[in-house]
Amino acid sequence: MRAFAFGLLLIANPALADHELDGRNISAGAKLYAENCATCHGANLEGQANWRSPNENGVFPAPPHDETGHTWHHDNALLFSYTKLGGKAALSAQGVTDFSSGMPAFDGVITDEDIWNILAFIKSEWPERQQNVQASRNPQH
């Protein structure tokens, strides 16, 4: 089952290298973020209150995408999968079953290219240190 899940993750992630976010359309990503992400993750990437603790339904609130959150701790492949497949499917593909994410799937809502532009916008808002740490979590090409 795990091999299948990993295969699904690779299919959902057409590119995994650090440079995947280079040269993206940051202004398009900002607009797409405002339209698709800001309602939950905040207009300024600040996330929801108490994002580290599950709500009464056991679901974790939307985390910040600024440097105070954990987005920059993850590689491009996971960030892409999480956005495209939604939290539950992306985490299941990683073998994580004990975490309840409220992140919906955006597959069929926005294109893969749009997802990469959104991720590039988010990354562009981080200080240099967080950008470098996140970049180091990806294969170098």
Side-chain angles (χ1 to χ4, degrees):
M1 179 66 174
R2 238 177 190 209
F4 171 77
F6 185 69
L8 173 69
L9 185 64
L10 288 178
I11 290 167
N13 290 291
L16 306 173
D18 170 48
H19 62 73
E20 186 54 39
L21 298 181
D22 292 348
R24 294 289 171 179
N25 188 333
I26 302 296
S27 60
K31 184 176 186 289
L32 288 159
Y33 177 89
E35 293 169 354
N36 296 282
C37 313
T39 300
C40 295
H41 291 283
N44 296 309
L45 292 86
E46 72 274 12
Q48 295 176 335
N50 302 313
W51 62 275
R52 289 186 174 107
S53 301
N55 64 23
E56 61 278 355
N57 298 322
V59 177
F60 283 80
H65 286 316
D66 63 13
E67 73 275 4
T68 68
H70 59 81
T71 307
W72 56 274
H73 294 197
H74 303 294
D75 64 29
N76 292 343
L78 181 60
L79 296 176
F80 181 91
S81 289
Y82 215 87
T83 307
K84 181 172 180 131
L85 304 175
K88 183 176 182 177
L91 291 173
S92 290
Q94 295 282 318
V96 177
T97 58
D98 61 347
F99 183 87
S100 293
S101 168
M103 177 71 173
F106 281 88
D107 190 23
V109 177
I110 57 177
T111 67
D112 290 358
E113 193 70 23
D114 290 343
I115 292 171
W116 288 119
N117 286 335
I118 291 168
L119 293 174
F121 160 69
I122 290 169
K123 185 173 182 174
S124 76
E125 296 293 303
W126 299 332
E128 184 177 359
R129 178 185 173 277
Q130 281 77 7
Q131 288 184 28
N132 291 337
V133 169
Q134 196 277 333
S136 75
R137 301 192 186 284
N138 300 288
Q140 305 297 310
H141 285 265

